[in-house]
Amino acid sequence: MFKTMVVGTDGSATAREAVRQAAELAAQLTATVHVVSAYEPVPEPRLRLERREAPDNIEWAINPREEVNAVLDEAASMLKERGVEVYLHPREGDAADALLDVAEEVGADLIVVGNKGMTGAKRFLLGSVPNKVSHHAPCSVLIIRTT
């Protein structure tokens, strides 16, 4: 049925719930999960400032996608606790595009997203991640009720 899943996270409470439910489903199905998090790079002036102020032994960890790495690591921990094989995909740019791209690249059977932004008039916003994913996905989409 579903052997390769893609789930998106931005570290929010609703995204964590989508990851949690994806982890439960993946564990039951023995599916592999690819976790995607889109980001805007940290501006170079801020990186330079942080590097100057950081202790020498952690200076290497300060990079344009440092925040997204922490979000992905948190999601990976949740999945690994349930014995799920997990791969991480930090992607620069639009969240929906990142999910769709990774789903195509890995041949996903299922994309899991939270429903945040799909209630009331908000569901008509062009920028709605679950809305865009549901209309353009190359596979099945599971929209988790997180709100």
Side-chain angles (χ1 to χ4, degrees):
M1 184 178 209
F2 300 120
K3 290 296 176 195
T4 306
M5 298 168 48
V6 171
V7 64
T9 184
D10 61 4
S12 66
T14 58
R16 279 193 297 277
E17 179 60 16
V19 171
R20 186 192 68 75
Q21 290 193 39
E24 293 295 328
L25 182 60
Q28 291 174 12
L29 299 173
T30 318
T32 299
V33 177
H34 295 262
V35 183
V36 179
S37 189
Y39 67 95
E40 293 297 324
V42 178
E44 190 58 39
R46 180 174 147 201
L47 287 174
R48 281 194 300 272
L49 177 64
E50 287 180 5
R51 284 185 190 119
R52 276 197 309 266
E53 295 175 357
D56 292 340
N57 63 335
I58 67 161
E59 203 173 278
W60 62 270
I62 299 172
N63 62 66
R65 59 182 212 204
E66 64 187 86
E67 292 166 2
V68 77
N69 288 339
V71 168
L72 288 169
D73 289 344
E74 177 187 4
S77 293
M78 191 182 304
L79 288 149
K80 288 176 182 176
E81 284 175 9
R82 289 168 179 82
V84 174
E85 184 178 354
V86 60
Y87 298 92
L88 305 179
H89 302 269
R91 293 291 172 105
E92 186 175 335
D94 178 73
D97 288 339
L99 285 165
L100 295 167
D101 289 347
V102 171
E104 273 192 34
E105 290 167 16
V106 302
D109 304 308
L110 180 68
I111 299 174
V112 179
V113 292
N115 70 329
K116 185 177 178 184
M118 288 195 66
T119 58
K122 291 180 185 176
R123 73 178 179 273
F124 299 109
L125 292 176
L126 185 60
S128 170
V129 172
N131 191 28
K132 185 174 181 179
V133 168
S134 69
H135 284 91
H136 300 285
C139 59
S140 295
V141 177
L142 175 60
I143 299 174
I144 302 293
R145 183 168 178 81
T146 61
T147 55

